Amino acid sequence: MPAYRPEEIEKKWQAHWKAHRTFQAQNHSEKPKYYVLDMFPYPSGAGLHVGHPLGYIASDIVTRYKRLRGFNVLHPMGFDSFGLPAEQYAIQTGQHPALTTEKNIETYVQQLSSLGFSYDWSREVRTSDASYYKWTQWIFLKLFNSWYNLDTNKAEPLTELTARFAASGSDGIRAAGDDGDRLSFSAGQWQLFTEKQKLAAVLPYRLAYQQDTFVNWCPGLGTVLSNDEVKDGLSERGGFPVERRLMPQWNLRITAYADRLLQGLDQLDWPDAVKEMQRNWIGKSIGAEVTFPVLPARASGAAGQVSDTPAAASATSGTPSDTPDVASEASKATSGAALSSSGGSEIKVYTTRVDTIYGATFLVLAPEHELVDVITTPAQRAAVDEYIAATKRRSERDRMTDVKAVSGVFTGAYALNPVNNEPVQIWLADYVLAGYGTGAVMAVPSGDQRDWLFATHFGLPIPAISDAQKDIDQQADPTKEGRYINSGIINRLTYKEATPKLIAFLEEKGLGKGKVNFRQRDAIFGRQRYWGEPIPIYYKDGTAYGIAESDLPLVLPEIDEYKPTETGEPPLGRAQNWLYRDKYPYELSTMPGWAGSSWYYLRYMDPTNEARFVSEEAEQYWGSVDLYMGGAEHATGHLLYARFWYLFLKDLGLVSSGEPFQKLINQGMILGRSNFVYRINGTNKFVTLGKKDQYETTALHVDVSILENDVLDMEAFRKWRPDYNEAEFITEDNGTYVSGWEVEKMSKAKFNVVNPDVLIGKYGADALRLYEMFLGPLEQYKPWNTNGISGVSGFLKKLWRLFHPEDGPLAVTDEPATPAELKVLHRAIQKVQEDIEKFSFNTSVSLFMITVNELTALKCHKRAILEPLVLLVSPYAPHLAEELWQELGHEAGSISHAGYPEFREEFLVEDTVVYPLAINGKVREQMQFAAAATAAEIETAVLASDFLAKHGEGKSAKKVIVVPGRMVNVVV
């Protein structure tokens, strides 16, 4: 038999697995089920680098282990194949995104297969296949045709809502969403509504609805971007300017599920950090909604008026001196009662600290607030318009995270504080967002630091409201201690006393109400792109209708170019004669990337079903995902949306579990090991690391593939890039060029990306799998160092030689194992099982190395030991294990269902125990006893020995203390 040759063995077994469908799962089995899921990849043109397979390797180890433990395991793979990168490439080249996507998927399948993953490829799904997105569209239609009944706390078909309208009108219906958007009508009025009027009345109840929404609009890409796709006001892809724009958008009413999404987290075995991110994103708070009536531009009073004075000029980040004098303006009115309201305009604010309302000295609106145009005075119009234009160039994320800069502008308008009828200025500031809460905040500078900074910057009042507040001339003090001062009806009350009294007062006066609020907003669902799922909506007389389910899928039409039309319509506007039933225009937006990924795990259960998105039998058998492996970066995106869709499907009785993913593990990132060359400034000369301090140099990244052990291949470097063709080198004294190195994120820009194909070709897939696990705990960030993989490769060769000494023929014997050999084996069986169950894979790899070294030292070539060892190693190094298993006489490819070795504790029990012997607690020597010896037997033996004579200084023993298995202490 030749030496261990992974390049031959691995191709052999990969072909065998594919031909025999070794890992195909069954939807009916007497075995217990176990569903292992990887977050499926977007197939980029770059393919995989060595950082990508980390989670896949870990999940595959669990998968193979669970099969050995007797489970029917579902371990599928597919591709999240819609997306912006393919579309941008199509815009640049004119090539259809489907062609580049197909080519990229072929590369991914080849790379994933070469790593020996035990996927059931018969269940592969691609979100861009019409047979798949037919059901994504079907789920959207279910959302479009459902409402959320707060009385039953679940989604219900709209037919039930319209039946209630017909029976008793809109009265008494409690639905998720904004009541202010809904009509009030009787049953008789409903019967008289036209079809269009009925649809308009129903629209504010739908779980999928259209609404003018502020979005991140990128003219350069011609599409709406999510917050994650915008950085510093520019698109992450392409670096194009992004602005906030009000556009009609499709939304999904995820807010209806906010409380259930929050409560469900308590039942999930997920990382605490991910659950906390979702809790913060949902942002439940208990407080009050308060109405501030807006004063007209000129409000008559007994002694004067509040006006749009020229003093109220622009007050942005650097001009606090232009701020109007609130005190003097307010003094123009003898009392708040003399100030009339503005004919119906009012500003609603949500606050968790209604107890501080007497300290609210100004209001701050989001620049996008709907009342800005209405209330801005002529004197302030130019300043307000300038500020709004500047705000549009900043993303929501930038606005939320920038806590240092202070900017704002006065609108010239005033509102009434409802508890004391005092006029308060109305300002705009970009730290308030239109989509959060009501898009307005009551500013209490004495109790909120951001309000304090704003008030200090613009010279606004900061009155104290509690006798416990300290140093509010230096910073805000949000204390809830003490008793209230300067606070009208709650003066001298405590926080617990004041809050309910104020809420009762506001509710009695019709100026507010207690309310539970959520930070989370409804999910914007439309994208002005081509390469995505068409939204199955058509328009008749300007009203949206869902297409008939029998007409699904609505397939992407062919178009001539993949960019927006000349008139600004999305790319689908280029489709010729694209009409529903040759009559009605379709919706031109497509779905976001997260649509297809919100339910793909369900389709894996039954991927070829043409009649249903998943059969009832398959869904009930597989239930929820038992183990989900993926990145924490999806905490408030995919993971939240998938939970939302699952709960919705649960409401409709289409799925049977409580949550989609029971256990989640976030694998850490493998960091790249970058290498640097040092160019002498102003020259094309490069100096080695050992001599660089002798020159003024600039460090430049260099492709890690042209180095070995940090030694640069100088000729390869010259060929690497044309500008280095004439490079000269100042080397070490031995003639080598040694580069510098640093651990950074893997990136093509840093030339530190390592292609797994190269390593597999050199060392084999089993070596790469073991090495990635060996790098450290799965959840942690780990630096990559290609040099280390050779050690793991050496271990596999050493394992091979237990079966093939000196790389000769198979030399496994049927001799009985010795106690020492059995001890080594069963210690490994126990430890590997414990490690995999707690997902501690790096420690198992270390144990394998120790085990092989010990068995090598024992010169063990016995079947009784090596056959169980092959089973232990098989989840980690499956190709080598399959080869050895077959050589041991088993049917080819049968190791996956062979059964995990049984651990027997008796083989770890020691025959003898060495006891330290002490005099008065000080250890003097050791004695060996039988492991089964009793305390009395040990005491007798110690006293019968010469131990006391040697160390007792002539004293007699008062007492002998025996700690079983640990030590003996003689007290003298």
Side-chain angles (χ1 to χ4, degrees):
M1 181 73 184
Y4 169 53
R5 300 187 188 280
E7 67 277 11
E8 297 175 7
I9 291 173
E10 292 176 359
K11 288 178 181 177
K12 167 187 172 181
W13 288 108
Q14 287 163 16
H16 178 95
W17 296 331
K18 182 177 181 180
H20 291 81
R21 297 189 173 189
T22 302
F23 309 118
Q24 189 165 324
Q26 302 302 317
N27 281 357
H28 302 283
S29 175
E30 296 301 317
K31 298 178 179 179
K33 71 92 181 179
Y34 196 81
Y35 187 172
V36 182
L37 182 67
D38 295 308
M39 287 187 184
F40 64 168
Y42 171 78
S44 71
L48 298 172
H49 62 61
V50 294
H52 293 133
L54 180 68
Y56 300 156
I57 296 169
S59 65
D60 195 59
I61 290 170
V62 175
T63 297
R64 290 175 176 275
Y65 167 76
K66 287 294 183 179
R67 289 197 191 99
L68 291 174
R69 301 292 296 183
F71 286 84
N72 178 31
V73 182
L74 175 57
H75 190 208
M77 178 49 73
F79 298 95
D80 194 7
S81 47
F82 274 131
L84 187 57
E87 181 155 342
Q88 286 304 110
Y89 187 75
I91 292 171
Q92 296 163 10
T93 65
Q95 187 178 67
H96 197 289
L99 298 177
T100 54
T101 299
E102 178 65 31
K103 181 180 178 182
N104 294 344
I105 288 176
E106 288 177 7
T107 300
Y108 268 67
V109 170
Q110 183 276 320
Q111 287 187 302
L112 292 169
S113 298
S114 71
L115 280 156
F117 296 137
S118 59
Y119 292 127
D120 180 353
W121 283 107
S122 70
R123 296 173 182 258
E124 178 191 343
V125 300
R126 302 178 182 185
T127 58
S128 57
D129 284 353
S131 62
Y132 178 86
Y133 69 69
K134 166 187 177 178
W135 297 106
T136 310
Q137 293 172 334
W138 181 83
I139 295 172
F140 172 85
L141 289 175
K142 293 296 183 186
L143 286 157
F144 180 68
N145 291 313
S146 297
W147 67 297
Y148 199 92
N149 187 343
L150 292 176
D151 289 327
T152 60
N153 198 30
K154 68 174 187 175
E156 296 176 357
L158 276 176
T159 51
E160 297 182 16
L161 177 67
T162 54
R164 291 179 61 176
F165 286 164
S168 55
S170 60
D171 190 41
I173 291 176
R174 297 177 62 248
D178 188 352
D179 289 337
D181 294 336
R182 294 169 180 156
L183 299 176
S184 177
F185 50 84
S186 66
Q189 289 173 314
W190 171 259
Q191 300 293 351
L192 295 174
F193 283 172
T194 64
E195 178 187 20
K196 188 170 184 177
Q197 287 173 324
K198 286 181 177 179
L199 289 172
V202 165
L203 177 63
Y205 293 86
R206 294 184 187 271
L207 291 184
Y209 64 95
Q210 256 188 327
Q211 187 179 65
D212 286 345
T213 306
F214 280 98
V215 296
N216 298 316
W217 172 250
C218 179
L221 294 175
T223 188
V224 169
L225 300 177
S226 68
N227 284 333
D228 291 341
E229 296 169 316
V230 181
K231 184 174 178 59
D232 298 327
L234 301 175
S235 63
E236 195 171 52
R237 177 166 290 274
F240 297 106
V242 176
E243 64 181 55
R244 298 289 292 168
R245 181 181 290 186
L246 190 65
M247 297 177 66
Q249 284 292 320
W250 282 96
N251 295 265
L252 298 189
R253 206 180 296 279
I254 189 174
T255 51
Y257 288 84
D259 217 19
R260 287 168 64 184
L261 289 169
L262 201 59
Q263 293 171 14
L265 290 171
D266 295 334
Q267 312 304 318
L268 298 178
D269 185 6
W270 286 20
D272 289 339
V274 172
K275 292 199 284 188
E276 196 59 26
M277 279 189 274
Q278 288 203 359
R279 288 190 183 101
N280 291 335
W281 184 264
I282 295 168
K284 182 177 182 178
S285 58
I286 299 173
E289 187 176 79
V290 184
T291 300
F292 284 72
V294 178
L295 296 173
R298 297 185 179 274
S300 299
Q305 61 187 14
V306 177
S307 65
D308 51 337
T309 168
S314 172
T316 54
S317 58
T319 57
S321 60
D322 294 332
T323 308
D325 185 338
V326 177
S328 64
E329 292 294 327
S331 69
K332 294 176 182 178
T334 57
S335 71
L339 298 170
S340 63
S341 69
S342 59
S345 291
E346 57 188 28
I347 295 171
K348 293 184 183 296
V349 303
Y350 175 80
T351 176
T352 58
R353 291 295 305 274
V354 70
D355 58 297
T356 67
I357 192 169
Y358 284 95
T361 55
F362 56 100
L363 297 181
V364 185
L365 307 187
E368 306 91 347
H369 196 285
E370 60 187 6
L371 285 180
V372 171
D373 281 343
V374 176
I375 66 175
T376 299
T377 62
Q380 289 298 100
R381 177 64 61 183
V384 166
D385 289 348
E386 180 183 352
Y387 188 77
I388 291 173
T391 301
K392 286 182 177 179
R393 296 190 287 270
R394 304 188 72 200
S395 71
E396 282 194 357
R397 175 164 293 184
D398 291 339
R399 289 163 60 180
M400 284 189 291
T401 57
D402 184 5
V403 296
K404 295 181 180 179
V406 178
S407 71
V409 64
F410 179 49
T411 64
Y414 290 78
L416 278 181
N417 187 320
V419 294
N420 60 14
N421 283 336
E422 291 291 332
V424 293
Q425 291 183 3
I426 305 172
W427 287 69
L428 306 185
D430 63 5
Y431 73 83
V432 182
L433 305 177
Y436 282 90
T438 63
V441 299
M442 66 174 205
V444 182
S446 70
D448 181 275
Q449 185 62 18
R450 196 156 199 171
D451 296 344
W452 185 92
L453 291 169
F454 195 94
T456 302
H457 188 82
F458 293 119
L460 300 170
I462 309 177
I465 53 173
S466 168
D467 60 12
Q469 286 180 318
K470 297 178 181 178
D471 302 324
I472 60 172
D473 59 330
Q474 302 296 317
Q475 62 183 3
D477 184 352
T479 182
K480 295 179 181 179
E481 303 300 322
R483 296 182 179 273
Y484 292 96
I485 58 174
N486 304 321
S487 296
I489 64 171
I490 60 169
N491 272 335
R492 306 310 303 159
L493 298 184
T494 65
Y495 168 76
K496 289 185 177 181
E497 296 166 338
T499 300
K501 183 168 184 175
L502 278 168
I503 292 175
F505 171 81
L506 292 167
E507 290 179 345
E508 179 186 347
K509 301 295 184 184
L511 293 170
K513 59 183 178 180
K515 187 176 181 182
V516 175
N517 202 39
F518 295 91
R519 185 183 298 115
Q520 182 182 37
R521 295 169 295 167
D522 284 340
I524 297 174
F525 196 66
R527 297 291 186 268
Q528 286 63 49
R529 301 174 186 166
Y530 173 74
W531 193 233
E533 300 93 333
I535 295 177
I537 292 291
Y538 69 93
Y539 293 91
K540 184 169 70 173
D541 298 329
T543 297
Y545 290 77
I547 71 173
E549 290 181 9
S550 59
D551 291 327
L552 295 176
L554 173 58
V555 179
L556 274 174
E558 296 293 330
I559 57 176
D560 58 346
E561 289 185 275
Y562 304 102
K563 58 185 181 182
T565 67
E566 287 72 16
T567 56
E569 291 180 318
L572 288 180
R574 297 179 175 276
Q576 298 296 312
N577 300 315
W578 195 49
L579 300 170
Y580 183 56
R581 297 183 176 175
D582 298 322
K583 193 173 182 180
Y584 303 109
Y586 283 115
E587 168 63 49
L588 299 181
S589 296
T590 52
M591 299 186 195
W594 55 264
S597 64
S598 291
W599 73 281
Y600 73 109
Y601 57 94
L602 292 168
R603 190 62 177 172
Y604 281 143
M605 299 175 184
D606 196 15
T608 59
N609 193 325
E610 295 180 2
R612 206 172 186 272
F613 75 111
V614 58
S615 71
E616 291 184 56
E617 297 79 11
E619 189 281 325
Q620 287 173 7
Y621 175 76
W622 291 110
S624 58
V625 173
D626 296 285
L627 173 63
Y628 198 11
M629 190 77 69
E633 67 272 16
H634 300 289
T636 57
H638 157 66
L639 287 169
L640 197 60
Y641 297 136
R643 294 183 62 218
F644 159 44
W645 278 39
Y646 192 87
L647 291 175
F648 169 69
L649 294 172
K650 174 81 170 177
D651 286 349
L652 299 191
L654 298 172
V655 294
S656 57
S657 297
E659 287 275 348
F661 317 120
Q662 284 306 307
K663 183 171 183 63
L664 173 71
I665 294 180
N666 300 135
Q667 78 275 12
M669 184 183 294
I670 288 184
L671 301 173
R673 192 176 189 274
S674 302
N675 284 98
F676 300 90
V677 292
Y678 302 96
R679 183 167 61 191
I680 300 174
N681 293 344
T683 74
N684 205 17
K685 291 183 178 180
F686 296 85
V687 59
T688 188
L689 177 66
K691 298 180 180 180
K692 77 178 183 69
D693 292 341
Q694 302 172 25
Y695 304 87
E696 290 187 7
T697 62
T698 299
L700 303 174
H701 283 90
V702 61
D703 191 336
V704 295
S705 68
I706 58 176
L707 297 103
E708 186 164 353
N709 292 323
D710 298 330
V711 175
L712 180 70
D713 182 333
M714 291 176 278
E715 192 55 37
F717 179 78
R718 291 190 179 99
K719 295 176 181 177
W720 176 45
R721 286 168 53 173
D723 47 331
Y724 298 151
N725 189 44
E726 303 297 326
E728 299 178 38
F729 297 94
I730 299 173
T731 66
E732 302 289 339
D733 294 339
N734 63 3
T736 62
Y737 186 98
V738 178
S739 73
W741 64 272
E742 184 177 321
V743 174
E744 303 179 287
K745 181 179 179 180
M746 257 188 204
S747 163
K748 288 191 292 184
K750 302 180 189 300
F751 306 108
N752 64 355
V753 171
V754 179
N755 189 330
D757 300 351
V758 174
L759 296 178
I760 290 171
K762 187 172 183 180
Y763 299 103
D766 285 342
L768 179 58
R769 290 169 62 110
L770 282 163
Y771 183 56
E772 293 217 6
M773 294 296 97
F774 185 60
L775 286 173
L778 179 64
E779 297 87 349
Q780 294 182 9
Y781 280 42
K782 297 167 281 290
W784 178 266
N785 184 354
T786 299
N787 302 331
I789 196 172
S790 59
V792 174
S793 176
F795 154 71
L796 290 173
K797 292 174 183 176
K798 199 166 187 178
L799 173 61
W800 174 266
R801 291 182 189 125
L802 286 175
F803 298 78
H804 297 274
E806 299 180 0
D807 293 330
L810 186 70
V812 176
T813 72
D814 290 323
E815 296 176 61
T818 66
E821 293 167 340
L822 287 168
K823 179 180 178 181
V824 171
L825 172 66
H826 283 269
R827 184 181 60 202
I829 293 172
Q830 181 187 39
K831 184 73 166 75
V832 171
Q833 178 177 333
E834 290 175 351
D835 286 348
I836 295 180
E837 294 285 0
K838 64 184 182 182
F839 309 100
S840 178
F841 307 107
N842 60 309
T843 50
S844 282
V845 178
S846 299
L847 177 73
F848 289 143
M849 295 177 177
I850 294 168
T851 300
V852 169
N853 285 339
E854 290 178 341
L855 293 177
T856 299
L858 292 169
K859 297 182 180 179
C860 175
H861 306 293
K862 298 169 182 175
R863 177 183 297 273
I865 301 299
L866 298 187
E867 191 165 273
L869 180 62
V870 171
L871 290 169
L872 291 184
V873 172
S874 64
Y876 291 80
H879 307 89
L880 176 56
E882 286 276 22
E883 183 71 14
L884 294 173
W885 190 250
Q886 184 183 35
E887 287 191 345
L888 289 169
H890 298 283
E891 181 184 350
S894 65
I895 194 171
S896 295
H897 307 287
Y900 192 78
E902 180 187 358
F903 167 63
R904 294 176 58 182
E905 190 171 5
E906 63 263 30
F907 292 124
L908 300 187
V909 175
E910 301 286 352
D911 292 332
T912 60
V913 178
V914 175
Y915 280 78
L917 303 186
I919 297 285
N920 291 342
K922 188 172 183 179
V923 176
R924 298 294 188 177
E925 60 179 68
Q926 297 177 332
M927 285 183 70
Q928 184 170 289
F929 298 94
T934 65
E937 291 170 341
I938 293 171
E939 179 180 343
T940 300
V942 169
L943 294 177
S945 71
D946 62 355
F947 172 71
L948 198 58
K950 288 164 56 179
H951 305 290
E953 299 177 353
K955 299 176 182 178
S956 60
K958 291 183 179 179
K959 183 172 26 173
V960 178
I961 302 170
V962 178
V963 182
R966 300 289 299 276
M967 71 172 297
V968 178
N969 182 35
V970 180
V971 181
V972 297

